[in-house]
Structure formats: C-alpha cells, structure tokens
Amino acid sequence: MGLISAQTILTSISLFHITLAFFFITNPATIADQGVVWLMGEAMGLPHSRHFDTQSPATAFLGIVLGLWGLTDLVSLSMPEEIAMIHHWGSQVPLRLTCSFFLTLYSFFFSASSPLYDSATPSGGKFSHPTTSSFGGQYAAKDVAGDWGWGGDALKNRVFFTFMFVETFSWFWVYLALKEEQVDIYKRAAQRREKERESF
C-alpha cells in the first residue's frame, strides 16, 4: 500500500473541485492570478484570458458544475469500499484520466503557441520556445471580439491548460494508487464475506 491511499487522494481532488467552484462563483480572477497558472502559462507560451478577470454567467455555471462534481465524488466515497473503489472508481478514474490527458494535449498542441505551427514561433524554428507576446495580438483580438470560430478555441488558455494538467496528474496518481490497493481491497472483502457466512 502506498504512502497516501486512493481514498485520501480522491477526497483531496473533490475538495479541490469544491474550492475551485467557490472561487469561480465569487472571484474568478483569484484563479487566473495564481502563481502556478502564470508559471505553466508562461512555460508553455499560452495566453492569458481576460474572461477570468470578472464574474460572468459562464464562470458561475462552471463553478456550479465543479461544485456538484466535487460533492457527488465525496458522496461516492461513502459507499462500501469494494463498491466505491473497485466498481465505481475503477471505471471512473481511467475515463477521467483519458479525457483530461487529451484535453491537456488539445489545449497546448492546437493553440497558437504549439510547436506544430511554424507561424507561432516567428523568431525561431519549429519547437523553439514561443512567447505569449509573439501571438498575443491575434489571441487578444479574438478575446475582445468574442470571435472564437468554434467553442474549443476558447479552451486554449493558461487557466484551462493548468487545470487539465493538474487533473491529469491527479487522476494518474489515483489510478496508480487504485491498482496498488486493489488486491488488498479484494482480500478485505473476502474476509468480510467469510465472517458473514460464519455468523449465519
């Protein structure tokens, strides 16, 4: 068994979602101004989105969704261990890990800072480090006008990338912890069944 159990990590992720929900509803600028968001955004050359500077219906909706997501995840942890950890989270974790991984890749590799686009790095060649100022005009014009083309273009910013990166890391950690604890959970469930048979 690992140093931190899967249930503890899942509880932490749920509380993280509830905390984010609170800030998205009350003051989304606190999330956009976090050091880790700035650091990840600058490292990956992703633009700052001005839509997180003030409250909006979209951030309030996001806050409600994250809050409900966190609460339902907390409630699922109150189920019996075998049902919660093996059956429920055994199917949820790989799905959430896969989705967050591909959304992280999408947020970076299809943004203007992607090394796949030559135009994003005018000073250097392919795979040279982009700066946010090299494509800031294009992104800022879309940001102000609200002309994103399709909804997925609005996901190419540092807040979304950082959130999905943290989600990917967290769900991968839960996946490893669950795989490690699976045998112990089955053993405890078998012991419980044996005791129930003896009591009858």
Side-chain angles (χ1 to χ4, degrees):
M1 184 179 225
L3 185 63
I4 301 175
S5 70
Q7 187 162 5
T8 304
I9 301 168
L10 287 167
T11 304
S12 301
I13 293 172
S14 300
L15 294 175
F16 172 67
H17 288 158
I18 293 169
T19 304
L20 281 180
F22 172 78
F23 283 113
F24 272 122
I25 292 170
T26 58
N27 188 7
T30 56
I31 296 169
D33 293 339
Q34 289 297 312
V36 69
V37 173
W38 180 85
L39 182 68
M40 295 289 287
E42 287 296 313
M44 304 307 281
L46 292 166
H48 172 73
S49 177
R50 294 189 183 118
H51 291 287
F52 293 105
D53 291 344
T54 59
Q55 293 174 337
S56 69
T59 58
F61 178 74
L62 176 62
I64 295 298
V65 169
L66 279 172
L68 289 174
W69 195 8
L71 284 173
T72 56
D73 288 350
L74 277 177
V75 169
S76 74
L77 291 171
S78 66
M79 293 188 293
E81 185 181 41
E82 184 181 5
I83 295 170
M85 294 307 201
I86 301 298
H87 301 292
H88 178 73
W89 288 111
S91 62
Q92 284 289 311
V93 171
L95 177 67
R96 292 186 190 193
L97 172 61
T98 304
C99 290
S100 60
F101 178 71
F102 282 115
L103 286 170
T104 303
L105 290 180
Y106 170 79
S107 179
F108 176 66
F109 281 112
F110 292 99
S111 70
S113 65
S114 170
L116 300 177
Y117 298 115
D118 288 325
S119 61
T121 55
S123 60
K126 209 171 206 170
F127 295 108
S128 65
H129 186 272
T131 59
T132 52
S133 60
S134 65
F135 59 90
Q138 172 198 0
Y139 185 85
K142 284 184 172 184
D143 194 17
V144 171
D147 179 26
W148 296 104
W150 79 287
D153 285 344
L155 300 176
K156 301 169 186 173
N157 61 64
R158 56 182 61 183
V159 173
F160 183 76
F161 176 81
T162 304
F163 175 72
M164 283 295 120
F165 185 82
V166 169
E167 287 283 302
T168 302
F169 173 82
S170 301
W171 291 119
F172 184 67
W173 191 11
V174 173
Y175 178 78
L176 293 178
L178 275 177
K179 288 296 175 194
E180 193 173 302
E181 294 174 11
Q182 201 169 23
V183 175
D184 292 336
I185 292 171
Y186 279 131
K187 282 181 185 175
R188 285 193 295 269
Q191 288 171 354
R192 271 196 308 272
R193 285 191 207 106
E194 190 66 32
K195 285 179 183 175
E196 288 173 4
R197 280 194 206 110
E198 288 172 1
S199 64
F200 288 120

